[in-house]
Each structure stands twice: as structure tokens, then as C-alpha cells.
Amino acid sequence: MLQIKNFTKIYSNGKVAVDNISLEVESGDIFAFIGPNGAGKTTTIKSVVGINDFNNGQIIIDGIDIIKSPVDCKKVIAYIPDNPDIYETLTGVQYLELVADIFRINKEERNSLVKEYATKLGLEKDLNSPISTYSHGMKQKLVLISAFIHHPKLIVMDEPFVGLDPKASFTVKEIMKQFVKNGGAIFFSTHVLEVAEKLCNKVAIINKGKIIAAGSMEEVKKDKSLEKVFLESVANE
Amino acid sequence: MSNLKILLKNEFNILIGRIQGKKKRMSTNTAIVLLILGMIGLLVLYSLQSWGMFEGLGKMGLGKLCVFHGVITTLTVVLIIGIMRVTGKTKSNDSDFLLSLPIKKRDIIIAKLFSKYLFDLFFAFVLLAPFIVMYEITAPIFSASILIFGFVVIIFLPLLSVGISQIMDYIVVKLFNRMKFGTVLKSLIPTLLLILLMVLLTIKTSGYGNVEYASMEEYFKDRWLSNQILTFIFDQTLVSILTFVGIILIPITIGIILNVNIYGKNFGVYVNTNRNIKLKKAQAPFRHLFKKELKLYFTTPAYLVNTIIGPIGIVAISIFLVISGTDSLQKLLQVSIPSSDLVYFIALVINLLIANTCISSVSISLESKNFWFLRSLPLATSQIFISKLLVPLIVVLPTTLIASALVGIMLHSVTLALLVFGVTSLYLILTDILGLIINLWHPKLNWENEVQVVKQSLSVLLSMVFNFVIAVIPIAIALIFEISITLTALITIGLYVLLLICFTILLFTRGQRLFRNLEA
């Protein structure tokens, strides 16, 4: 579903943010992308979803090259940013309508999907209020709903659990599991290693722009906890 | 629905959302009605102005000159708005979101430019439509083609402003992003361009009142850009049509292409590679606060460019007065009074320029997402207020001092210079405090770019209205009661001192409460 081949991103000031990394996420995978602050997680994610350009390598989504056909790639992706900075002056409904319009979701489907996910995440009473009145967690829930209503094949999430209450966090994890069970793939960054360990079947650890460990969860952590593996890997670099 | 239409609908929803307010939402219809009422109000105002002009010049067969006035005013405003809109930023709050969607970058840019276009269209319509319509009403023969071509200009001229701002944004980003003093230069270049435009306008409109019918065409030809637009409206020749299309299409097309190239990209910033970390000695918190305010002012292009016209105008007018002497001012004002009495008019003009310099009235709004930081500091609210109040004084006070000194030189009187300085500096402090109060009363903490705060916020509009009223009240009293200039000056100072005391008390009592209750 997602292939990152020899990906390198160098900022215009010469700083190498990500250095020649390769990863593969297949259908049915929940792939955790972990690393310390400034390791290159968000830079990679932003290139995967077509926000940032990159210098070398290839990013292929569902068989399509993001550089060659960015619009076609984005049609099958949903992106959930680390900071849900969304239009404060719109209502939740207006925001969801915008996303549904862009992804050509018909009226009946958008209504049923919005109702379904808003009820699951406990946001149905707030959807007609301006987004400016939402808390961080509510904004995060709204962005999550917008991601699930257009049937993406790949969901790319940057710190998706930040700001969510325990109930919503549990619901999101359940939705994620259901999503990959239906053939989707999820690639997400997180600092909550316990969640990554329990939820994901694959993991990659990035530090200073380089992948220092990658593979199935069992391969990477072996008989240790993910936290221990992470701390040891980062300390050895 | 195409992606472009969806994005345009979204921009419209955002615009309406802004009008509806943050939490207490009016219905969409009420917001639209308010918007239309505001437009009608301004339209009536400019219609009256054009009517007055046609009453005088139109009857003398100089109707075309009136339309030319409309064209040159609209063109100037459109260009000024274009320059003022330069932010030197490649990202907006929603750029990551939009770029992650399956939409072409070109469509995103066009939708973003559309809301800017609508804003400029409003000004083009208000400024030019009354002149076109009035020309048709007063002309001996009705010409449908002049009416149509006039409205074509109104519809397409705002694209020039949008195109220019996009091109300038590209140049500023490419040239200055990675320079050490890039942020300052980003503010300085649009400011210099604005000054250049104002100087050009002054030169090109000088002698405007003395245009005779015979020399009218020569007068027009000397003003190339305005003349091309005028020719397009009146002559409609193939050359004029092609020239107009070129004037409009070339900048907007280049602007869109350049913007597609930079939108959402990180161009990097100046990086100091010196790894030797040396912290400076401890300074008083207030000093840091004040430095932060000054830095915010001088490194925010939209903030600086939109508020620097007043101080520049003050210096320019005083230089003009010294060069041309008191006679020219008497001619301009169409009054014949002793030179010493002119002082009050000069002070009034300076005050009116200060009235448009709304620095403190956006200083709270510009904190936006950093507002939590300001609130969390262990500092008295009064210190925060004073640090914000000092910026306008630093920026404007030297110019009033220069103006007063020049007036003193012109009139050979230190006393009169001191009087001008006293009245203008008192007015400056007064409007400074009032601006901060108004901003606390009507803050706009959720915005996408600074232009929305500096140019389109309610606090700026209210500040300008109140500032204007405070500036003209003394003159109104003098005219109504026919009192002497000296007495008017005394009343003005008395009134300003009284208002200053009231506003200061209001700021440090109710203002502090408003500040504490603000929610970012």
C-alpha cells in the first residue's frame, strides 16, 4: 500500500532531515513510526501525504508515485495532522461537508458515516457549533471523522492520540483495528510506546533522520518491551 | 461540483463565519444583511462625492475628467491594497490540510485568491461605479458601451492588485527568507514601495484642479496606466482592449504561477551556525516585553506597512509646508487668516494622519496563538499594557516632533512649534490608549494572516471612527460657536487632557478585567 524507497529530505538550509530511508506498509498493517523529537517523523509523514517535496527517493501509494500523480495518490489517503489546526470559523458540519465534497461522497453515505463516527466518538451534539468553540480533543475527533468518511486505503496519522480522552482513545483504536481488518493500512507516528506495542504489527524506529530498526513488532522487540528497545537503540546512536 | 467550486464555497463559508463571529453566531442571513448594509453605506458616501464632482466639473464638459479621477483613485487604492497584502509567507493555517487533499495546487491558490479578489472588488465597485453611472446620467447621449466597459474595469481591475501582491510575495520570500535581517527587510521593501507609490500619486495628481479642457488629453497621456484604463472605457479600440487585457492578465497569471511554486513550501530561514551559546545578563522583564513588542511591529510586514503611512505623511506634509510656505496652505484651505492661526489646521491634519495609524488597536489581536504565553507570565497586566502603548509613541512621536520643529521654522516661532507638538502628542497618547481599550473590547484572536487583523478587524474600524471624531470635535465646536483659534486650541487641550484621564482610568480598571477574561 505504501512504499518509501531511499527517501531523503534536505531542507534548504542544508540540514538533512531524513537520510535515505526505506519502508513498506502493506494492506492490513498498522505501522508505528517512532522516534525522538526532531528525528524526522513529521517530515517523512508530510512527504508521504504530499505536503512536502523531497530531494531523493520514491514514495509509492497504492502503486502510484506521489511525485508523478500527487492528486491520484491523495485520493486514497487520509491524513490526520499532529496539530488539528482547522477552520475555526466553520462549523463541524461545514468542515465535514467540505471534505465529503472533495472526495465526492454522496449525500446518503456522508450522512450515515458522519452520524456513525460522530456517535462513536461522542461529537454528534457539537457538530453544528463553530470549530472555534471546540477543545483540542474535539478538533482531533472531528479530523478523525473526516478521515474515515471517505473510504481511504491508507491513513497517515501524526500523533493521533494527543488530546483524546481515554474513551475516545479506545474508540479510535477499535476503529483503526476494524479499518485494517477491512483491507486498509495505517501508518502513524506516536510517542506512546505502549499503544504502539499493543496496536501495531509493524514498527520502525527513526533517529537523526535514519532508520535504526524496522520490521514486524516481534522482530524488532524480540523478548524485550518496545520501550526498552527504543531507549537502547536511541542511546546507541 | 468541481474542486475549485468546492474550495470557493469553502472560502465563502469561512468569510461568512468570520462575519458571524466566534462563539455567539448570528444567522448567516443576518451576517449577509450586515455586509450588504455596510457596502450600501459606503456606496452612498462615494456616490455623494461623485455627484458633487459632476455637479461642478460635469457641467463644464469635464465629465471625462471626473471618471479619470475615479479611475486614478481606484487604481491607487487597488495598488496600495496589493502592496499592503504582502506577508512574505508561504504557508497559511490550512495549507497542510489543503495540500493533503486530492486537489491541484493551482485550484487551492485560485480559491485563496478569490476571497482577496472579492475584498478588492468591493473597493473597486464603491470607488468607481458611482463615477461611471454619474457620467452616464449627466452625459448628453447615453452610451451603453461606456457603461459596460466601465463595469468590465470594475470587475477585472481587482485582479491587478491580487496579481501584484502575489508577485511581490514571491520576490520577498525568495530574496529575504534566508537573510539575517530577512524579517525586517520583508517589512521594509513593501513600505518603501508604498512610499514610492504615494510620491508618484502626489506628483501625478498635482495640478489636477487646474486642468483645462484643451489640455485634458495631454494630462491623461502623462498618466500612462490610468490613461490606458480610461481609453479602454471610452474608446474601446482593439489596441486599448488588448492593452487592458495585458495589464490585468499578465500580473495575475504570473502571480498564480509563482504562488503555485512557493505555496506550502519551507524555504528555510537564516540559521546562525555559531554554537557558542552566550546568554546576556539579566534584564528587567518589562524591557524584554517592550523589545518583543517592537520586534513584532518591525518584523510583521502587514502591521508595519498598514500603519506607517501616517508617520510618513506627517513628515511629508511638514516638509511640503516648509518648502511651499504658508501662502500655499492658505490657498489650499481657501482661507485667509493670520499665519499663526494656521497652526491649528496643521495640528488637525497631523492628528487626522495619526487617526489612521492604528498600532495599539491591533496589538492584543496580533498575540493570537501566543496569547497564552503573555497571560502565563508573572507580570502585572499594567506592564503588558504599557509595553504595547510605548510602540506607537516610539514610531509616531519622533515624526510629530520633526513636524513641530519644521512648523516652528516656517513660522519663526518656538511657542507655535511647542503648541503643535503639545496638541499632536496629547492626541497621539489619547488615541494610543483608546486603541488598546477598543482592542481589548473587540479582540480578534483567531486569524489566518496578519492582514485580517490589521486591515479587516472591527477594532481598527472602531478606532479610526473614534479617532476621527475626537480629532474633529474641537473644530466643530469652533465652527458652531464661532470662537477664536486660540480659544479652540485651549478647549482642544482641555478636552484631550480630560479624555486622557478618563481613558487611562478605563484602561487600568475595566481594561484589565477585559484582558483577564480574554480567551485565546
Side-chain angles (χ1 to χ4, degrees):
Chain A
M1 183 58 67
L2 166 66
Q3 287 172 287
I4 301 174
K5 294 178 184 172
N6 308 109
F7 168 75
T8 299
K9 169 76 187 175
I10 304 168
Y11 284 117
S12 50
N13 58 15
K15 190 196 168 191
V16 181
V18 183
D19 189 6
N20 195 28
I21 68 164
S22 296
L23 295 168
E24 187 162 356
V25 184
E26 291 166 336
S27 296
D29 282 348
I30 303 184
F31 195 116
F33 194 41
I34 58 178
N37 293 330
K41 298 187 298 294
T42 301
T43 304
T44 307
I45 281 176
K46 284 192 173 178
S47 293
V48 166
V49 298
I51 294 173
N52 284 354
D53 285 343
F54 49 93
N55 306 78
N56 282 313
Q58 236 185 338
I59 293 176
I60 295 167
I61 295 157
D62 199 25
I64 310 163
D65 191 317
I66 189 111
I67 293 291
K68 288 179 186 161
S69 309
V71 173
D72 290 334
C73 273
K74 289 172 190 177
K75 280 180 185 166
V76 296
I77 309 175
Y79 167 57
I80 295 158
D82 54 344
N83 189 8
D85 259 338
I86 41 180
Y87 303 106
E88 301 262 321
T89 56
L90 297 185
T91 63
V93 167
Q94 282 177 322
Y95 175 74
L96 293 172
E97 273 181 343
L98 167 71
V99 175
D101 279 343
I102 285 169
F103 285 94
R104 311 284 191 271
I105 309 297
N106 65 46
K107 196 181 167 187
E108 290 73 29
E109 202 176 359
R110 70 173 70 173
N111 268 318
S112 72
L113 285 170
V114 165
K115 266 181 201 160
E116 182 192 332
Y117 286 110
T119 311
K120 276 182 184 171
L121 290 166
L123 201 67
E124 71 277 20
K125 285 178 188 165
D126 302 290
L127 282 183
N128 281 315
S129 304
I131 296 171
S132 58
T133 61
Y134 287 18
S135 66
H136 180 92
M138 287 160 81
K139 284 181 191 168
Q140 191 73 358
K141 286 177 187 176
L142 184 67
V143 177
L144 281 162
I145 297 170
S146 74
F148 288 108
I149 59 168
H150 61 81
H151 308 299
K153 290 182 179 174
L154 172 70
I155 299 182
V156 182
M157 300 164 148
D158 198 354
E159 297 288 344
F161 301 107
V162 173
L164 290 183
D165 57 58
K167 187 173 173 264
S169 192
F170 174 78
T171 312
V172 170
K173 281 183 254 174
E174 291 304 304
I175 295 171
M176 285 165 78
K177 283 177 195 166
Q178 191 59 45
F179 175 75
V180 294
K181 209 174 166 183
N182 294 337
I186 295 174
F187 178 65
F188 81 103
S189 75
T190 183
H191 287 299
V192 192
L193 300 183
E194 290 84 359
V195 171
E197 194 171 351
K198 283 181 189 164
L199 191 66
C200 306
N201 62 324
K202 283 185 182 171
V203 63
I205 303 173
I206 184 170
N207 190 28
K208 294 175 188 167
K210 288 184 175 173
I211 297 289
I212 50 174
S216 71
M217 190 60 79
E218 286 72 30
E219 279 169 10
V220 171
K221 67 173 192 150
K222 292 173 185 151
D223 54 344
K224 298 173 191 168
S225 72
L226 184 61
E227 188 178 35
K228 201 166 184 191
V229 172
F230 175 79
L231 292 173
E232 282 172 3
S233 311
V234 172
N236 290 338
E237 278 293 302
Chain B
M1 214 184 328
S2 73
N3 284 337
L4 184 60
K5 275 186 189 169
I6 294 166
L7 290 175
L8 291 175
K9 185 183 150 197
N10 184 45
E11 289 293 331
F12 183 74
N13 283 338
I14 293 168
L15 177 75
I16 296 299
R18 275 192 208 127
I19 300 164
Q20 284 177 315
K22 193 182 168 190
K23 286 180 183 172
K24 289 178 191 169
R25 304 207 86 165
M26 294 180 273
S27 74
T28 306
N29 290 342
T30 317
I32 292 170
V33 167
L34 273 179
L35 190 70
I36 292 169
L37 279 179
M39 284 174 72
I40 292 172
L42 273 172
L43 193 64
V44 168
L45 203 71
Y46 278 95
S47 299
L48 287 173
Q49 195 214 350
S50 67
W51 179 73
M53 232 180 151
F54 274 93
E55 273 289 292
L57 294 171
K59 283 178 182 168
M60 293 158 65
L62 295 171
K64 202 173 172 182
L65 185 63
C66 299
V67 177
F68 185 77
H69 169 82
V71 168
I72 206 163
T73 310
T74 313
L75 194 59
T76 310
V77 170
V78 155
L79 289 174
I80 285 175
I81 292 173
I83 296 170
M84 283 177 166
R85 194 176 276 138
V86 176
T87 58
K89 285 183 180 171
T90 56
K91 288 190 171 195
S92 51
N93 285 349
D94 58 352
S95 52
D96 278 5
F97 165 67
L98 293 172
L99 287 171
S100 73
L101 295 174
I103 313 167
K104 283 181 182 159
K105 227 179 191 184
R106 187 198 59 209
D107 291 347
I108 299 172
I109 304 294
I110 293 172
K112 288 260 158 219
L113 298 185
F114 180 70
S115 57
K116 290 174 185 166
Y117 164 78
L118 280 184
F119 182 78
D120 298 355
L121 178 66
F122 163 69
F123 282 100
F125 184 80
V126 165
L127 293 173
L128 193 53
F131 286 92
I132 303 286
V133 173
M134 208 57 77
Y135 179 84
E136 290 294 352
I137 293 170
T138 54
I141 306 160
F142 175 79
S143 163
S145 62
I146 289 176
L147 192 69
I148 292 165
F149 276 70
F151 274 86
V152 167
V153 169
I154 291 168
I155 292 165
F156 289 100
L157 198 58
L159 290 176
L160 181 64
S161 149
V162 177
I164 282 174
S165 66
Q166 296 309 301
I167 294 169
M168 279 185 61
D169 252 332
Y170 179 85
I171 294 169
V172 163
V173 165
K174 283 279 183 182
L175 283 182
F176 305 127
N177 245 37
R178 291 172 64 191
M179 280 191 182
K180 188 174 182 181
F181 299 106
T183 42
V184 178
L185 287 167
K186 275 183 190 178
S187 301
L188 200 65
I189 299 302
T191 309
L192 290 173
L193 270 173
L194 200 66
I195 295 168
L196 186 72
L197 187 69
M198 287 169 77
V199 170
L200 260 175
L201 180 75
T202 312
I203 295 167
K204 292 293 179 186
T205 52
S206 62
Y208 168 75
N210 302 323
V211 179
E212 300 297 333
Y213 185 75
S215 61
M216 206 161 66
E217 295 303 323
E218 286 302 313
Y219 178 80
F220 294 157
K221 274 179 192 165
D222 196 34
R223 284 127 187 101
W224 185 83
L225 194 55
S226 309
N227 189 39
Q228 293 307 318
I229 294 167
L230 198 74
T231 315
F232 173 77
I233 297 172
F234 284 94
D235 299 353
Q236 301 136 26
T237 59
L238 184 65
V239 176
S240 69
I241 292 169
L242 288 175
T243 312
F244 180 75
V245 169
I247 289 168
I248 301 300
L249 271 189
I250 292 169
I252 189 71
T253 311
I254 294 173
I256 290 172
I257 293 168
L258 295 179
N259 210 320
V260 166
N261 189 269
I262 60 168
Y263 183 73
K265 284 188 180 171
N266 288 316
F267 280 90
V269 287
Y270 169 76
V271 179
N272 189 342
T273 50
N274 183 5
R275 289 179 180 230
N276 184 16
I277 301 167
K278 253 189 192 175
L279 295 176
K280 288 173 187 164
K281 64 173 182 179
Q283 288 180 343
F286 177 77
R287 205 170 152 183
H288 279 290
L289 212 56
F290 176 58
K291 273 162 80 178
K292 176 193 86 69
E293 291 299 330
L294 268 187
K295 201 167 181 184
L296 176 75
Y297 181 73
F298 285 106
T299 57
T300 312
Y303 196 13
L304 180 69
V305 176
N306 281 275
T307 54
I308 206 73
I309 298 170
I312 293 168
I314 292 169
V315 178
I317 282 180
S318 44
I319 292 171
F320 170 78
L321 285 176
V322 171
I323 295 169
S324 57
T326 50
D327 292 349
S328 63
L329 185 64
Q330 294 205 347
K331 263 188 200 169
L332 201 72
L333 293 167
Q334 295 177 331
V335 288
S336 179
I337 50 175
S339 294
S340 57
D341 286 358
L342 281 174
V343 163
Y344 194 73
F345 286 102
I346 296 167
L348 178 71
V349 172
I350 293 174
N351 283 356
L352 288 174
L353 286 164
I354 294 172
N356 288 303
T357 312
C358 302
I359 298 176
S360 63
S361 53
V362 293
S363 59
I364 296 285
S365 301
L366 284 172
E367 293 291 344
S368 185
K369 284 179 180 157
N370 304 318
F371 189 64
W372 65 270
F373 173 70
L374 206 59
R375 282 276 292 271
S376 65
L377 291 174
L379 290 170
T381 312
S382 56
Q383 281 189 305
I384 295 169
F385 285 176
I386 293 167
S387 70
K388 290 189 177 297
L389 291 172
L390 278 177
V391 178
L393 300 186
I394 294 287
V395 175
V396 189
L397 207 58
T399 63
T400 59
L401 189 64
I402 293 168
S404 309
L406 291 173
V407 168
I409 293 166
M410 182 179 76
L411 300 173
H412 311 290
S413 166
V414 177
T415 319
L416 292 175
L418 285 174
L419 183 70
V420 173
F421 185 65
V423 171
T424 53
S425 51
L426 206 54
Y427 179 78
L428 172 65
I429 299 167
L430 185 66
T431 51
D432 189 14
I433 295 174
L434 180 63
L436 192 56
I437 294 171
I438 291 172
N439 198 201
L440 286 163
W441 181 30
H442 284 291
K444 185 185 176 90
L445 292 163
N446 290 308
W447 41 267
E448 267 189 48
N449 62 58
E450 293 87 358
V451 178
Q452 288 168 3
V453 181
V454 181
K455 272 171 71 179
Q456 300 160 19
S457 63
L458 185 61
S459 63
V460 172
L461 186 72
L462 288 175
S463 294
M464 283 168 88
V465 171
F466 282 118
N467 291 354
F468 181 76
V469 170
I470 294 169
V472 299
I473 277 179
I475 269 284
I477 293 171
L479 289 173
I480 293 166
F481 299 103
E482 294 180 352
I483 52 179
S484 71
I485 292 287
T486 318
L487 190 59
T488 309
L490 286 172
I491 290 171
T492 308
I493 292 171
L495 180 75
Y496 285 1
V497 169
L498 189 71
L499 285 173
L500 189 61
I501 294 165
C502 294
F503 289 161
T504 309
I505 294 168
L506 191 65
L507 178 67
F508 291 102
T509 52
R510 177 102 178 104
Q512 296 214 25
R513 281 202 296 279
L514 284 170
F515 184 78
R516 280 195 292 272
N517 293 332
L518 280 180
E519 286 173 34

